[in-house]
Amino acid sequence: MSPESPEPTEPPDQPEPPVVDARGLRCPLPVIRLAQAAKDLPAGALVEVWATDPAARADVPAWCRMRGHELVATTELDQGTDGAHTAYRVRLGG
Amino acid sequence: MGERAVLDAASTPLHPVARETLLAALDAGWADPRRLYAEGRAARRLLDQATEVIAAGLAARPSEVSFAPSGPAAVSLAVDGALHSGRRRGGRLVASAVEHSAVLAPGRYRAAAAGDDDLLAEVPVDHAGRVDLDAFGAALSEPGTVVAAVQHANGEVGTLQPLGAVHEACRAAGVPLVVDAQASLGRTASPTDYDVLAGDAQSWGGPGGLGVLAVPERTRWSLPGPAGEPGYGRSGHVPWVPLALAAAEAWQQTQATFEAEASQARALVDAIRSAAAGVPDVEVVGDPQLRLPHVVTFSALYVDGEALVHEFDRRGFAIASGSACTASTLEPSHVLAAMGVLTHGNVRITLPLAAVSPGRAQHVERFCAALPEVVSTVRAQLGAEHL
């Protein structure tokens, strides 16, 4: 989004959500790292976990459902130096 | 610690009476049933008797029943024969996303080899693992669809599929239905809604290495390649006669105690379900009612499936798991993933028959008592106790 476009719900200087880098970790570690990060964040906050483990594809959505969080985006990334991974963006529930 | 508690019936000891039959058959039924001399003719008579018993159990005629080298082989053959017979109309297979890998792996391979994704449609399931009937009906109506494959019940989570409605949709679309009953035969009433049925003698306490096929005469079904042995049903596979005799004996034994066995298994599974549901952050998966009596699966958050299997093993329990890293693969169970449930920290229990495991009620009691401590032990190993 461009800086001058109106954004009614979020302030224009909304920072990128914190990222939990769980690339290379195998299940259940990506979900555990995500839960550890979520513990210190307020309800409504966004958090993102990066994972390469195929089990995260099922387990991050399942964790959200079991714990009352919302999975807002799943993005496949293939950045040169970072390598292929998946980014799961989660909005924390109350 | 007491005796080992085997809570995984995917492969169990034979039913004790079938074991006696197998031992006797090693002497009485060793001959090749195709031979014309006395020993061969005797083996052939024994095989015919075994086939009749199994056919009666499947509400099929003996001529409609044949054998395969294993349950998964029977399932693959069932699909292959239906695809081959439909080849002039197309090559598309419609299967639920929770079918056995004996259906999905060859289906994916065929689609990849032909460079045509449409050759396999994997129909989604709900959280309980039940096939989405609307999506299934829509998939059947795609041109070139020649076979549908839907299991009777899932062997990992126990959920029964709505085969009546599934078969009705198939009949309306003119597509034959292959039903995989590997997990259910002998444990619940045999399915009647199918055009081809495949099963595994192990599900009813019979031996490994014997799959069964029921192909009614009305079904257009033939295998590609050279014809099998004439006189051995539509698969043409000549089984080792002692295996078929042991399977028939196990079937008769299982049928004699069917009601009591199923209701006892159901009560034990209910006990496990409530014990698991009482552990924090544990989710019991699969349909709570429309399920096999002897199967239960649950997943524990923040738990490593491999560590869980080892911790239970150390304490005397043999349990299976659908988590990744428990089956020499990084991929978790495709069944759990398709259901949208947690794949890590998974425990899969399939109760052996009471006749095979007389101590199973005590085993289940011990398991339920040990479960909370095992989960918290394994969680603590990952520093995840208070999340």
Side-chain angles (χ1 to χ4, degrees), chain B:
Chain B
M1 187 167 81
E3 62 173 353
R4 291 280 297 173
V6 177
L7 300 174
D8 176 14
S11 186
T12 60
L14 272 174
H15 190 290
V17 182
R19 184 176 180 280
E20 294 301 312
T21 300
L22 179 67
L23 293 175
L26 296 177
D27 293 325
W30 52 265
D32 185 332
R34 291 166 292 195
R35 292 289 190 258
L36 298 180
Y37 45 75
E39 292 83 353
R41 294 198 308 275
R44 178 67 207 230
R45 277 194 300 277
L46 292 170
L47 178 59
D48 286 346
Q49 286 166 16
T51 307
E52 274 173 36
V53 168
I54 292 167
L58 303 178
R61 279 179 271 210
S63 61
E64 297 172 329
V65 168
S66 50
F67 296 96
S70 70
V75 171
S76 287
L77 284 177
V79 173
D80 287 349
L83 280 171
H84 186 65
S85 290
R87 68 193 180 282
R88 288 193 187 81
R89 288 176 290 123
R92 182 174 144 91
L93 166 66
V94 170
S96 91
V98 296
E99 290 307 299
H100 193 277
S101 56
V103 172
L104 295 180
R108 288 174 190 156
Y109 178 82
R110 280 190 324 114
D116 183 357
D117 286 346
D118 286 343
L119 289 181
L120 175 67
E122 295 185 39
V123 180
V125 297
D126 63 15
H127 272 314
R130 209 176 355 261
V131 67
D132 179 333
L133 285 170
D134 290 337
F136 182 72
L140 287 178
S141 68
E142 292 290 321
T145 301
V146 292
V147 187
V150 177
Q151 62 204 183
H152 183 209
N154 188 277
E156 293 186 31
V157 300
T159 300
L160 288 158
Q161 294 294 350
L163 284 186
V166 162
H167 198 208
E168 202 175 300
C170 288
R171 275 197 301 257
V175 173
L177 173 65
V178 172
V179 170
D180 168 7
Q182 286 183 98
S184 62
L185 290 180
R187 297 298 201 136
T188 192
S190 300
T192 52
D193 292 296
Y194 65 85
D195 297 303
V196 184
L197 183 71
D200 188 328
Q202 289 185 108
S203 73
W204 66 80
L210 190 74
V212 296
L213 276 167
V215 190
E217 278 158 26
R218 65 182 151 76
T219 302
R220 292 185 59 232
W221 188 92
S222 63
L223 289 170
E229 197 66 41
Y232 289 85
R234 295 177 77 177
S235 76
H237 173 75
V238 184
W240 189 46
V241 174
L243 287 185
L245 282 171
E249 184 67 60
W251 180 270
Q252 285 178 318
Q253 294 296 326
T254 305
Q255 289 307 295
T257 56
F258 181 76
E259 295 294 338
E261 160 62 39
S263 68
Q264 192 195 65
R266 190 168 281 276
L268 293 173
V269 160
D270 285 342
I272 296 171
R273 290 179 74 94
S274 62
V279 180
D281 288 317
V282 168
E283 185 175 47
V284 182
V285 302
D287 196 287
Q289 298 297 328
L290 301 173
R291 60 175 170 82
L292 291 175
H294 66 296
V295 177
V296 53
T297 298
F298 56 87
S299 296
L301 256 182
Y302 316 133
V303 167
D304 178 349
E306 191 178 0
L308 197 56
V309 170
H310 288 313
E311 183 63 21
F312 272 119
D313 189 40
R314 204 178 63 75
R315 294 173 185 238
F317 299 96
I319 55 132
S321 171
S323 296
C325 319
T326 57
S328 61
T329 165
L330 287 178
E331 294 284 343
S333 152
H334 72 280
V335 174
L336 299 175
M339 289 165 64
V341 298
L342 197 67
T343 69
H344 71 231
N346 181 255
V347 171
R348 180 196 308 156
I349 287 177
T350 46
L351 295 179
L353 293 162
V356 170
S357 175
R360 71 175 183 178
Q362 290 75 43
H363 299 164
V364 167
E365 198 178 316
R366 270 169 50 204
F367 176 83
C368 291
L371 177 61
E373 194 184 307
V374 170
V375 170
S376 61
T377 299
V378 181
R379 260 187 199 142
Q381 287 167 3
L382 293 172
E385 312 97 298
H386 306 294
L387 288 176

